[in-house]
Amino acid sequence: EVSIDNSAVNSNTGVWGDTATFNPRRFDNETPDMRKSLCRFGIGSRRCMEYRVADAFMKVLVIVVLR
């Protein structure tokens, strides 16, 4: 069995820089490494059960805001 430590993946200082500081501007210049390194809902069979609900909610929210 192989498992991935989400906190280690999401706090890779080589990709994200200073991970201890709240900095939403780090996504302004998103790189391919950032896209590959962000593990929001987990991976594989142990993936968060509600990730589809969260994705659908965000799509509805964007549609409502853009109206």
Short mmCIF file of all heavy atoms in Angstrom, two decimals:
data_model
loop_
_atom_site.label_atom_id
_atom_site.label_comp_id
_atom_site.label_asym_id
_atom_site.label_seq_id
_atom_site.Cartn_x
_atom_site.Cartn_y
_atom_site.Cartn_z
N GLU A 1 0.84 -1.18 0.00
CA GLU A 1 0.00 0.00 0.00
C GLU A 1 0.89 1.24 0.00
O GLU A 1 1.86 1.33 0.73
CB GLU A 1 -0.90 0.00 1.22
CG GLU A 1 -1.81 1.16 1.26
CD GLU A 1 -2.77 1.09 2.44
OE1 GLU A 1 -3.23 -0.01 2.77
OE2 GLU A 1 -3.02 2.14 3.01
N VAL A 2 0.53 2.17 -0.82
CA VAL A 2 1.26 3.42 -0.92
C VAL A 2 0.34 4.54 -0.47
O VAL A 2 -0.83 4.58 -0.83
CB VAL A 2 1.71 3.69 -2.38
CG1 VAL A 2 2.38 5.03 -2.50
CG2 VAL A 2 2.62 2.57 -2.85
N SER A 3 0.86 5.43 0.33
CA SER A 3 0.05 6.59 0.74
C SER A 3 0.85 7.86 0.51
O SER A 3 2.07 7.85 0.48
CB SER A 3 -0.37 6.49 2.20
OG SER A 3 0.75 6.59 3.03
N ILE A 4 0.12 8.94 0.31
CA ILE A 4 0.73 10.24 0.06
C ILE A 4 0.39 11.17 1.20
O ILE A 4 -0.78 11.28 1.58
CB ILE A 4 0.23 10.81 -1.28
CG1 ILE A 4 0.67 9.90 -2.42
CG2 ILE A 4 0.74 12.22 -1.49
CD1 ILE A 4 0.09 10.26 -3.75
N ASP A 5 1.37 11.83 1.73
CA ASP A 5 1.16 12.78 2.81
C ASP A 5 0.74 14.12 2.20
O ASP A 5 1.57 14.85 1.65
CB ASP A 5 2.44 12.92 3.62
CG ASP A 5 2.29 13.86 4.79
OD1 ASP A 5 1.14 14.27 5.09
OD2 ASP A 5 3.31 14.19 5.42
N ASN A 6 -0.56 14.45 2.25
CA ASN A 6 -1.08 15.67 1.65
C ASN A 6 -0.42 16.92 2.21
O ASN A 6 -0.17 17.87 1.48
CB ASN A 6 -2.58 15.77 1.82
CG ASN A 6 -3.32 14.88 0.87
OD1 ASN A 6 -2.77 14.45 -0.14
ND2 ASN A 6 -4.56 14.60 1.17
N SER A 7 -0.17 16.94 3.50
CA SER A 7 0.44 18.13 4.08
C SER A 7 1.85 18.35 3.54
O SER A 7 2.28 19.48 3.33
CB SER A 7 0.44 18.06 5.60
OG SER A 7 1.24 16.99 6.05
N ALA A 8 2.58 17.27 3.27
CA ALA A 8 3.92 17.41 2.70
C ALA A 8 3.85 17.86 1.25
O ALA A 8 4.64 18.70 0.82
CB ALA A 8 4.68 16.09 2.81
N VAL A 9 2.90 17.34 0.50
CA VAL A 9 2.76 17.73 -0.91
C VAL A 9 2.34 19.19 -1.01
O VAL A 9 2.87 19.94 -1.83
CB VAL A 9 1.72 16.83 -1.61
CG1 VAL A 9 1.39 17.37 -3.00
CG2 VAL A 9 2.22 15.41 -1.71
N ASN A 10 1.40 19.60 -0.18
CA ASN A 10 0.88 20.96 -0.24
C ASN A 10 1.79 21.99 0.41
O ASN A 10 1.49 23.18 0.36
CB ASN A 10 -0.51 21.03 0.40
CG ASN A 10 -1.54 20.29 -0.42
OD1 ASN A 10 -1.42 20.19 -1.63
ND2 ASN A 10 -2.54 19.76 0.23
N SER A 11 2.87 21.56 1.03
CA SER A 11 3.78 22.53 1.65
C SER A 11 5.22 22.35 1.16
O SER A 11 6.17 22.59 1.90
CB SER A 11 3.72 22.40 3.18
OG SER A 11 4.09 21.10 3.58
N ASN A 12 5.37 21.99 -0.10
CA ASN A 12 6.68 21.83 -0.71
C ASN A 12 7.29 23.22 -0.92
O ASN A 12 6.85 23.98 -1.78
CB ASN A 12 6.54 21.09 -2.04
CG ASN A 12 7.86 20.85 -2.72
OD1 ASN A 12 8.88 21.39 -2.33
ND2 ASN A 12 7.82 20.02 -3.75
N THR A 13 8.30 23.55 -0.15
CA THR A 13 8.89 24.89 -0.24
C THR A 13 9.60 25.12 -1.56
O THR A 13 9.77 26.26 -1.98
CB THR A 13 9.88 25.14 0.92
OG1 THR A 13 10.87 24.11 0.91
CG2 THR A 13 9.16 25.18 2.24
N GLY A 14 10.00 24.06 -2.26
CA GLY A 14 10.61 24.21 -3.57
C GLY A 14 9.62 24.73 -4.61
O GLY A 14 10.00 25.38 -5.57
N VAL A 15 8.35 24.45 -4.40
CA VAL A 15 7.30 24.90 -5.33
C VAL A 15 6.61 26.15 -4.81
O VAL A 15 6.37 27.10 -5.55
CB VAL A 15 6.26 23.78 -5.54
CG1 VAL A 15 5.10 24.26 -6.39
CG2 VAL A 15 6.90 22.56 -6.17
N TRP A 16 6.27 26.16 -3.52
CA TRP A 16 5.43 27.21 -2.96
C TRP A 16 6.17 28.34 -2.27
O TRP A 16 5.58 29.34 -1.91
CB TRP A 16 4.43 26.59 -1.96
CG TRP A 16 3.60 25.55 -2.59
CD1 TRP A 16 3.70 24.19 -2.41
CD2 TRP A 16 2.53 25.73 -3.51
NE1 TRP A 16 2.78 23.54 -3.16
CE2 TRP A 16 2.04 24.46 -3.85
CE3 TRP A 16 1.96 26.85 -4.08
CZ2 TRP A 16 0.99 24.29 -4.74
CZ3 TRP A 16 0.91 26.68 -4.98
CH2 TRP A 16 0.44 25.42 -5.29
N GLY A 17 7.45 28.18 -2.04
CA GLY A 17 8.19 29.22 -1.30
C GLY A 17 7.92 29.09 0.19
O GLY A 17 7.91 28.00 0.73
N ASP A 18 7.68 30.19 0.86
CA ASP A 18 7.41 30.20 2.30
C ASP A 18 5.98 29.71 2.54
O ASP A 18 5.02 30.45 2.36
CB ASP A 18 7.60 31.61 2.85
CG ASP A 18 7.38 31.67 4.35
OD1 ASP A 18 7.35 30.60 4.99
OD2 ASP A 18 7.25 32.79 4.88
N THR A 19 5.84 28.47 2.97
CA THR A 19 4.50 27.88 3.15
C THR A 19 3.89 28.24 4.50
O THR A 19 2.71 28.01 4.71
CB THR A 19 4.56 26.35 3.03
OG1 THR A 19 5.49 25.84 3.98
CG2 THR A 19 4.99 25.95 1.63
N ALA A 20 4.67 28.79 5.41
CA ALA A 20 4.14 29.15 6.73
C ALA A 20 3.40 30.49 6.70
O ALA A 20 2.69 30.82 7.64
CB ALA A 20 5.27 29.20 7.74
N THR A 21 3.56 31.25 5.62
CA THR A 21 2.95 32.57 5.51
C THR A 21 1.74 32.51 4.60
O THR A 21 1.80 31.93 3.51
CB THR A 21 3.96 33.58 4.93
OG1 THR A 21 5.12 33.58 5.76
CG2 THR A 21 3.38 34.96 4.86
N PHE A 22 0.63 33.11 5.03
CA PHE A 22 -0.57 33.20 4.20
C PHE A 22 -0.30 34.19 3.07
O PHE A 22 -0.05 35.36 3.29
CB PHE A 22 -1.77 33.65 5.03
CG PHE A 22 -3.01 33.83 4.20
CD1 PHE A 22 -3.68 32.73 3.70
CD2 PHE A 22 -3.50 35.09 3.93
CE1 PHE A 22 -4.82 32.89 2.94
CE2 PHE A 22 -4.64 35.26 3.16
CZ PHE A 22 -5.31 34.16 2.67
N ASN A 23 -0.33 33.69 1.83
CA ASN A 23 -0.02 34.54 0.69
C ASN A 23 -0.87 34.10 -0.51
O ASN A 23 -0.42 33.31 -1.35
CB ASN A 23 1.46 34.47 0.34
CG ASN A 23 1.81 35.34 -0.84
OD1 ASN A 23 1.02 36.16 -1.27
ND2 ASN A 23 2.99 35.14 -1.38
N PRO A 24 -2.11 34.58 -0.64
CA PRO A 24 -2.93 34.18 -1.77
C PRO A 24 -2.40 34.68 -3.11
O PRO A 24 -2.76 34.17 -4.15
CB PRO A 24 -4.30 34.79 -1.45
CG PRO A 24 -4.04 35.87 -0.47
CD PRO A 24 -2.80 35.48 0.28
N ARG A 25 -1.52 35.67 -3.09
CA ARG A 25 -0.94 36.20 -4.33
C ARG A 25 0.02 35.21 -5.00
O ARG A 25 0.40 35.40 -6.15
CB ARG A 25 -0.19 37.50 -4.05
CG ARG A 25 -1.09 38.61 -3.64
CD ARG A 25 -1.65 39.25 -4.86
NE ARG A 25 -2.51 40.35 -4.48
CZ ARG A 25 -3.54 40.70 -5.19
NH1 ARG A 25 -3.83 40.08 -6.29
NH2 ARG A 25 -4.29 41.69 -4.79
N ARG A 26 0.40 34.15 -4.30
CA ARG A 26 1.31 33.18 -4.90
C ARG A 26 0.67 32.50 -6.11
O ARG A 26 1.35 31.97 -6.96
CB ARG A 26 1.79 32.16 -3.88
CG ARG A 26 0.78 31.12 -3.50
CD ARG A 26 1.31 30.11 -2.49
NE ARG A 26 1.25 30.70 -1.18
CZ ARG A 26 2.18 30.56 -0.24
NH1 ARG A 26 3.23 29.83 -0.48
NH2 ARG A 26 2.06 31.13 0.92
N PHE A 27 -0.67 32.54 -6.22
CA PHE A 27 -1.36 31.93 -7.34
C PHE A 27 -1.50 32.88 -8.53
O PHE A 27 -2.02 32.48 -9.57
CB PHE A 27 -2.75 31.45 -6.91
CG PHE A 27 -2.68 30.34 -5.90
CD1 PHE A 27 -2.89 30.60 -4.55
CD2 PHE A 27 -2.38 29.05 -6.28
CE1 PHE A 27 -2.81 29.60 -3.62
CE2 PHE A 27 -2.30 28.03 -5.36
CZ PHE A 27 -2.53 28.31 -4.02
N ASP A 28 -1.08 34.12 -8.39
CA ASP A 28 -1.16 35.08 -9.51
C ASP A 28 -0.32 34.62 -10.70
O ASP A 28 -0.69 34.83 -11.84
CB ASP A 28 -0.72 36.47 -9.07
CG ASP A 28 -1.75 37.15 -8.18
OD1 ASP A 28 -2.89 36.63 -8.07
OD2 ASP A 28 -1.42 38.19 -7.58
N ASN A 29 0.82 34.05 -10.43
CA ASN A 29 1.72 33.56 -11.49
C ASN A 29 1.87 32.05 -11.35
O ASN A 29 2.96 31.53 -11.12
CB ASN A 29 3.09 34.24 -11.39
CG ASN A 29 2.98 35.73 -11.60
OD1 ASN A 29 2.29 36.18 -12.50
ND2 ASN A 29 3.66 36.49 -10.76
N GLU A 30 0.76 31.34 -11.51
CA GLU A 30 0.74 29.89 -11.32
C GLU A 30 1.61 29.20 -12.36
O GLU A 30 1.57 29.51 -13.54
CB GLU A 30 -0.69 29.40 -11.41
CG GLU A 30 -0.86 27.97 -11.02
CD GLU A 30 -2.31 27.55 -11.02
OE1 GLU A 30 -3.10 28.11 -11.80
OE2 GLU A 30 -2.64 26.67 -10.25
N THR A 31 2.40 28.24 -11.90
CA THR A 31 3.29 27.48 -12.77
C THR A 31 2.76 26.05 -12.92
O THR A 31 1.94 25.61 -12.12
CB THR A 31 4.71 27.44 -12.19
OG1 THR A 31 4.66 26.70 -10.95
CG2 THR A 31 5.27 28.82 -11.94
N PRO A 32 3.23 25.32 -13.92
CA PRO A 32 2.83 23.91 -14.04
C PRO A 32 3.19 23.09 -12.80
O PRO A 32 2.45 22.18 -12.42
CB PRO A 32 3.59 23.42 -15.27
CG PRO A 32 3.81 24.64 -16.08
CD PRO A 32 4.00 25.75 -15.08
N ASP A 33 4.32 23.41 -12.17
CA ASP A 33 4.69 22.70 -10.94
C ASP A 33 3.67 22.92 -9.84
O ASP A 33 3.37 22.02 -9.06
CB ASP A 33 6.07 23.15 -10.45
CG ASP A 33 7.20 22.60 -11.30
OD1 ASP A 33 6.97 21.58 -11.99
OD2 ASP A 33 8.29 23.18 -11.27
N MET A 34 3.11 24.13 -9.76
CA MET A 34 2.09 24.41 -8.75
C MET A 34 0.84 23.58 -9.01
O MET A 34 0.24 23.05 -8.09
CB MET A 34 1.74 25.90 -8.75
CG MET A 34 2.77 26.78 -8.16
SD MET A 34 2.20 28.47 -8.23
CE MET A 34 3.46 29.29 -7.31
N ARG A 35 0.44 23.48 -10.27
CA ARG A 35 -0.75 22.69 -10.60
C ARG A 35 -0.57 21.23 -10.24
O ARG A 35 -1.49 20.58 -9.77
CB ARG A 35 -1.08 22.83 -12.09
CG ARG A 35 -1.72 24.13 -12.40
CD ARG A 35 -2.19 24.20 -13.85
NE ARG A 35 -1.94 25.54 -14.31
CZ ARG A 35 -1.04 25.90 -15.20
NH1 ARG A 35 -0.33 24.98 -15.81
NH2 ARG A 35 -0.87 27.15 -15.53
N LYS A 36 0.64 20.71 -10.46
CA LYS A 36 0.90 19.31 -10.14
C LYS A 36 1.08 19.07 -8.65
O LYS A 36 0.88 17.96 -8.18
CB LYS A 36 2.16 18.84 -10.88
CG LYS A 36 1.97 18.68 -12.36
CD LYS A 36 3.19 18.04 -12.99
CE LYS A 36 4.11 19.13 -13.46
NZ LYS A 36 5.30 18.64 -14.15
N SER A 37 1.46 20.10 -7.92
CA SER A 37 1.81 19.92 -6.50
C SER A 37 0.67 20.18 -5.54
O SER A 37 0.79 19.87 -4.36
CB SER A 37 2.97 20.86 -6.13
OG SER A 37 4.11 20.49 -6.84
N LEU A 38 -0.44 20.74 -6.00
CA LEU A 38 -1.55 21.03 -5.10
C LEU A 38 -2.51 19.85 -5.09
O LEU A 38 -3.09 19.49 -6.10
CB LEU A 38 -2.27 22.30 -5.54
CG LEU A 38 -3.36 22.80 -4.60
CD1 LEU A 38 -2.78 23.11 -3.22
CD2 LEU A 38 -4.03 24.03 -5.16
N CYS A 39 -2.66 19.25 -3.95
CA CYS A 39 -3.51 18.07 -3.79
C CYS A 39 -4.68 18.46 -2.88
O CYS A 39 -4.62 18.31 -1.67
CB CYS A 39 -2.68 16.95 -3.19
SG CYS A 39 -3.54 15.41 -3.04
N ARG A 40 -5.74 18.98 -3.47
CA ARG A 40 -6.84 19.54 -2.68
C ARG A 40 -7.70 18.49 -1.98
O ARG A 40 -8.07 18.64 -0.84
CB ARG A 40 -7.73 20.38 -3.58
CG ARG A 40 -7.05 21.61 -4.09
CD ARG A 40 -8.01 22.41 -4.96
NE ARG A 40 -7.35 23.59 -5.45
CZ ARG A 40 -6.95 23.77 -6.69
NH1 ARG A 40 -7.15 22.83 -7.57
NH2 ARG A 40 -6.37 24.89 -7.04
N PHE A 41 -8.08 17.45 -2.69
CA PHE A 41 -9.04 16.49 -2.14
C PHE A 41 -8.48 15.09 -1.97
O PHE A 41 -9.23 14.16 -1.70
CB PHE A 41 -10.27 16.41 -3.05
CG PHE A 41 -11.06 17.69 -3.10
CD1 PHE A 41 -10.99 18.53 -4.19
CD2 PHE A 41 -11.87 18.04 -2.04
CE1 PHE A 41 -11.71 19.70 -4.24
CE2 PHE A 41 -12.60 19.21 -2.08
CZ PHE A 41 -12.52 20.04 -3.18
N GLY A 42 -7.21 14.92 -2.13
CA GLY A 42 -6.64 13.59 -2.02
C GLY A 42 -6.54 12.92 -3.38
O GLY A 42 -6.92 13.49 -4.41
N ILE A 43 -6.05 11.69 -3.39
CA ILE A 43 -5.82 10.97 -4.64
C ILE A 43 -6.27 9.53 -4.46
O ILE A 43 -6.12 8.94 -3.40
CB ILE A 43 -4.32 11.00 -5.00
CG1 ILE A 43 -3.85 12.42 -5.24
CG2 ILE A 43 -4.04 10.15 -6.23
CD1 ILE A 43 -2.35 12.56 -5.40
N GLY A 44 -6.83 8.96 -5.51
CA GLY A 44 -7.14 7.54 -5.53
C GLY A 44 -8.39 7.16 -4.76
O GLY A 44 -9.32 7.95 -4.60
N SER A 45 -8.40 5.93 -4.27
CA SER A 45 -9.61 5.39 -3.63
C SER A 45 -9.93 6.08 -2.30
O SER A 45 -11.07 6.00 -1.84
CB SER A 45 -9.44 3.89 -3.39
OG SER A 45 -8.35 3.65 -2.51
N ARG A 46 -8.97 6.74 -1.70
CA ARG A 46 -9.23 7.43 -0.42
C ARG A 46 -9.50 8.91 -0.62
O ARG A 46 -9.42 9.69 0.31
CB ARG A 46 -8.05 7.21 0.52
CG ARG A 46 -7.86 5.73 0.77
CD ARG A 46 -7.16 5.39 2.02
NE ARG A 46 -7.53 6.16 3.16
CZ ARG A 46 -8.18 5.68 4.21
NH1 ARG A 46 -8.55 4.43 4.21
NH2 ARG A 46 -8.41 6.43 5.24
N ARG A 47 -9.86 9.27 -1.83
CA ARG A 47 -10.17 10.66 -2.17
C ARG A 47 -11.41 11.12 -1.40
O ARG A 47 -12.31 10.34 -1.12
CB ARG A 47 -10.43 10.74 -3.67
CG ARG A 47 -10.56 12.11 -4.20
CD ARG A 47 -10.66 12.06 -5.70
NE ARG A 47 -10.39 13.40 -6.20
CZ ARG A 47 -10.29 13.69 -7.45
NH1 ARG A 47 -10.42 12.76 -8.36
NH2 ARG A 47 -10.04 14.92 -7.82
N CYS A 48 -11.46 12.38 -1.07
CA CYS A 48 -12.58 12.96 -0.35
C CYS A 48 -13.88 12.67 -1.09
O CYS A 48 -13.98 12.89 -2.30
CB CYS A 48 -12.38 14.47 -0.20
SG CYS A 48 -13.76 15.31 0.59
N MET A 49 -14.88 12.19 -0.37
CA MET A 49 -16.15 11.82 -1.00
C MET A 49 -16.91 13.03 -1.51
O MET A 49 -17.72 12.92 -2.42
CB MET A 49 -17.01 11.04 -0.01
CG MET A 49 -16.43 9.71 0.35
SD MET A 49 -17.22 8.82 1.70
CE MET A 49 -18.87 9.35 1.69
N GLU A 50 -16.67 14.18 -0.97
CA GLU A 50 -17.44 15.37 -1.33
C GLU A 50 -16.75 16.27 -2.34
O GLU A 50 -17.18 17.40 -2.56
CB GLU A 50 -17.77 16.16 -0.06
CG GLU A 50 -18.66 15.40 0.91
CD GLU A 50 -20.03 15.08 0.32
OE1 GLU A 50 -20.58 15.92 -0.42
OE2 GLU A 50 -20.53 14.00 0.61
N TYR A 51 -15.70 15.78 -2.99
CA TYR A 51 -15.00 16.65 -3.93
C TYR A 51 -15.88 17.03 -5.11
O TYR A 51 -15.81 18.14 -5.63
CB TYR A 51 -13.69 16.03 -4.41
CG TYR A 51 -13.82 14.95 -5.46
CD1 TYR A 51 -13.69 15.25 -6.80
CD2 TYR A 51 -14.06 13.63 -5.11
CE1 TYR A 51 -13.80 14.27 -7.77
CE2 TYR A 51 -14.17 12.65 -6.06
CZ TYR A 51 -14.05 12.97 -7.39
OH TYR A 51 -14.15 12.00 -8.34
N ARG A 52 -16.75 16.14 -5.55
CA ARG A 52 -17.65 16.47 -6.66
C ARG A 52 -18.67 17.52 -6.24
O ARG A 52 -19.03 18.39 -7.03
CB ARG A 52 -18.35 15.22 -7.17
CG ARG A 52 -17.43 14.31 -7.93
CD ARG A 52 -18.18 13.23 -8.67
NE ARG A 52 -17.26 12.44 -9.45
CZ ARG A 52 -17.15 11.13 -9.35
NH1 ARG A 52 -17.93 10.46 -8.54
NH2 ARG A 52 -16.29 10.49 -10.10
N VAL A 53 -19.14 17.43 -5.01
CA VAL A 53 -20.07 18.44 -4.50
C VAL A 53 -19.39 19.80 -4.44
O VAL A 53 -19.96 20.82 -4.84
CB VAL A 53 -20.61 18.03 -3.11
CG1 VAL A 53 -21.44 19.13 -2.50
CG2 VAL A 53 -21.40 16.74 -3.19
N ALA A 54 -18.16 19.83 -3.96
CA ALA A 54 -17.42 21.09 -3.88
C ALA A 54 -17.17 21.68 -5.27
O ALA A 54 -17.33 22.88 -5.47
CB ALA A 54 -16.09 20.88 -3.15
N ASP A 55 -16.81 20.83 -6.24
CA ASP A 55 -16.60 21.31 -7.60
C ASP A 55 -17.90 21.86 -8.20
O ASP A 55 -17.90 22.92 -8.83
CB ASP A 55 -16.06 20.20 -8.50
CG ASP A 55 -14.59 19.94 -8.29
OD1 ASP A 55 -13.92 20.79 -7.67
OD2 ASP A 55 -14.10 18.90 -8.76
N ALA A 56 -19.01 21.15 -8.00
CA ALA A 56 -20.30 21.62 -8.52
C ALA A 56 -20.71 22.93 -7.86
O ALA A 56 -21.21 23.85 -8.52
CB ALA A 56 -21.37 20.56 -8.30
N PHE A 57 -20.49 23.04 -6.56
CA PHE A 57 -20.82 24.27 -5.84
C PHE A 57 -20.03 25.45 -6.38
O PHE A 57 -20.58 26.54 -6.58
CB PHE A 57 -20.56 24.09 -4.34
CG PHE A 57 -20.85 25.31 -3.54
CD1 PHE A 57 -22.15 25.65 -3.22
CD2 PHE A 57 -19.83 26.15 -3.12
CE1 PHE A 57 -22.43 26.78 -2.48
CE2 PHE A 57 -20.09 27.29 -2.39
CZ PHE A 57 -21.40 27.61 -2.07
N MET A 58 -18.75 25.25 -6.63
CA MET A 58 -17.92 26.34 -7.15
C MET A 58 -18.38 26.76 -8.55
O MET A 58 -18.40 27.95 -8.87
CB MET A 58 -16.45 25.93 -7.18
CG MET A 58 -15.85 25.79 -5.80
SD MET A 58 -16.04 27.25 -4.77
CE MET A 58 -15.01 28.40 -5.61
N LYS A 59 -18.79 25.81 -9.38
CA LYS A 59 -19.29 26.15 -10.72
C LYS A 59 -20.56 26.97 -10.64
O LYS A 59 -20.72 27.97 -11.35
CB LYS A 59 -19.52 24.88 -11.54
CG LYS A 59 -18.23 24.21 -11.95
CD LYS A 59 -18.49 22.90 -12.64
CE LYS A 59 -17.17 22.18 -12.91
NZ LYS A 59 -17.38 20.85 -13.46
N VAL A 60 -21.48 26.56 -9.75
CA VAL A 60 -22.72 27.32 -9.56
C VAL A 60 -22.42 28.71 -9.03
O VAL A 60 -23.00 29.70 -9.48
CB VAL A 60 -23.68 26.56 -8.62
CG1 VAL A 60 -24.85 27.42 -8.20
CG2 VAL A 60 -24.16 25.28 -9.28
N LEU A 61 -21.51 28.81 -8.09
CA LEU A 61 -21.14 30.10 -7.52
C LEU A 61 -20.58 31.04 -8.59
O LEU A 61 -20.96 32.21 -8.65
CB LEU A 61 -20.12 29.91 -6.40
CG LEU A 61 -19.65 31.17 -5.68
CD1 LEU A 61 -20.82 31.79 -4.93
CD2 LEU A 61 -18.54 30.83 -4.72
N VAL A 62 -19.72 30.54 -9.43
CA VAL A 62 -19.16 31.36 -10.51
C VAL A 62 -20.25 31.82 -11.46
O VAL A 62 -20.28 32.99 -11.87
CB VAL A 62 -18.05 30.59 -11.27
CG1 VAL A 62 -17.67 31.30 -12.56
CG2 VAL A 62 -16.83 30.40 -10.37
N ILE A 63 -21.18 30.96 -11.80
CA ILE A 63 -22.27 31.32 -12.70
C ILE A 63 -23.13 32.41 -12.08
O ILE A 63 -23.49 33.40 -12.73
CB ILE A 63 -23.12 30.09 -13.06
CG1 ILE A 63 -22.30 29.16 -13.96
CG2 ILE A 63 -24.42 30.47 -13.73
CD1 ILE A 63 -22.91 27.79 -14.15
N VAL A 64 -23.45 32.27 -10.80
CA VAL A 64 -24.28 33.27 -10.12
C VAL A 64 -23.57 34.61 -10.04
O VAL A 64 -24.18 35.66 -10.27
CB VAL A 64 -24.68 32.76 -8.70
CG1 VAL A 64 -25.30 33.87 -7.88
CG2 VAL A 64 -25.63 31.58 -8.82
N VAL A 65 -22.30 34.60 -9.75
CA VAL A 65 -21.53 35.84 -9.64
C VAL A 65 -21.41 36.53 -10.99
O VAL A 65 -21.50 37.76 -11.08
CB VAL A 65 -20.14 35.57 -9.04
CG1 VAL A 65 -19.23 36.77 -9.17
CG2 VAL A 65 -20.26 35.15 -7.58
N LEU A 66 -21.26 35.77 -12.06
CA LEU A 66 -21.08 36.35 -13.39
C LEU A 66 -22.37 36.84 -14.03
O LEU A 66 -22.33 37.52 -15.02
CB LEU A 66 -20.39 35.34 -14.31
CG LEU A 66 -18.95 35.02 -13.97
CD1 LEU A 66 -18.40 33.97 -14.92
CD2 LEU A 66 -18.08 36.26 -13.98
N ARG A 67 -23.49 36.51 -13.47
CA ARG A 67 -24.78 36.96 -14.03
C ARG A 67 -24.91 38.41 -13.95
O ARG A 67 -24.84 39.32 -13.57
CB ARG A 67 -25.95 36.34 -13.29
CG ARG A 67 -26.26 34.98 -13.81
CD ARG A 67 -27.55 34.53 -13.24
NE ARG A 67 -27.87 33.23 -13.78
CZ ARG A 67 -28.93 32.57 -13.45
NH1 ARG A 67 -29.77 33.05 -12.58
NH2 ARG A 67 -29.17 31.42 -13.97
#
